[in-house]
Amino acid sequence: RRVASEPRSEGMGMMGGSSMDPNTWIKGMRDSFSSLSGSPRSLWLIFAIKFLESLAYFSKSLIFAIFLTDEFQMSDSEAGLYFGLVGSLTTLYGFFAGPLIDKLGCRSSLILGSVLSLVSRVAVAVTTGRLVLWVMAFVVMPIGGCLMIPVMTLAVKGHTNQHNRGFAFGLFYSVMNVGALGS
């Protein structure tokens, strides 16, 4: 058993324990990023898309209920229901999107999902009609999301190897958090 005053062992993950020398940490980060240097350009594009999708998603999450209340005179309960349904429908549609993603392939699914997400977000932002809001929020936006999100995860796995995959997924989720912070 380790006593509190003893140094931590070096088996604490890729970059050591918490009391690490800054130079060692910098070298570890440089080595981790270097492990991705031979990765295809599309991996870096996935990171950029993940950032933009996260920025858009978390920005929408922050203002959607307020937007519905102010622009469509919905009650708080009705706006909350709309908000919850968008996320729930993304998950529900996702159960059925697998065969479509397999048929289209990762690249086409990601492009289609990105276009649907962009179109639906712009349409929701500019519409004054509840029918357009309903179709975009409950059909187009969730389908766009379920075509994009799992495909980005598959792409990270496909563009990495067992030696750099852990770092690539860590970077993928860090990019998501930076997008959330930016919202």
Side-chain angles (χ1 to χ4, degrees):
R1 195 167 166 189
R2 185 174 71 84
V3 179
S5 62
E6 291 179 6
R8 290 179 170 250
S9 71
E10 287 303 314
M12 299 291 295
M14 182 182 248
M15 292 182 275
S18 63
S19 62
M20 182 184 307
D21 172 43
N23 292 331
T24 305
W25 183 85
I26 290 169
K27 182 185 180 322
M29 288 302 290
R30 186 176 48 241
D31 291 347
S32 295
F33 275 100
S34 293
S35 74
L36 296 176
S37 64
S39 300
R41 185 180 71 122
S42 54
L43 177 65
W44 299 100
L45 183 59
I46 292 296
F47 292 144
I49 293 169
K50 182 64 173 178
F51 170 76
L52 294 172
E53 169 59 22
S54 297
L55 183 66
Y57 173 82
F58 288 106
S59 295
K60 181 201 71 158
S61 294
L62 288 171
I63 64 168
F64 194 55
I66 296 167
F67 169 78
L68 294 173
T69 302
D70 289 351
E71 298 298 320
F72 291 93
Q73 290 71 48
M74 290 185 186
S75 67
D76 289 346
S77 297
E78 190 178 10
L81 179 65
Y82 266 60
F83 179 82
L85 276 174
V86 172
S88 298
L89 289 171
T90 301
T91 302
L92 179 66
Y93 296 165
F95 288 123
F96 303 104
L100 179 60
I101 291 169
D102 289 341
K103 183 174 177 76
L104 293 173
C106 281
R107 184 176 188 273
S108 295
S109 295
L110 187 58
I111 291 169
L112 179 58
S114 297
V115 168
L116 291 175
S117 292
L118 178 65
V119 166
S120 64
R121 287 177 175 135
V122 170
V124 165
V126 300
T127 191
T128 56
R130 282 195 179 221
L131 179 61
V132 173
L133 172 70
W134 192 91
V135 169
M136 291 298 148
F138 296 149
V139 179
V140 181
M141 192 180 296
I143 290 173
C146 76
L147 288 175
M148 287 179 68
I149 295 164
V151 171
M152 287 188 281
T153 306
L154 287 171
V156 171
K157 182 180 181 199
H159 293 317
T160 57
N161 58 51
Q162 83 181 85
H163 300 293
N164 63 8
R165 189 165 294 137
F167 178 74
F169 274 109
L171 184 57
F172 181 72
Y173 289 107
S174 294
V175 165
M176 177 188 74
N177 289 325
V178 171
L181 185 63
S183 68

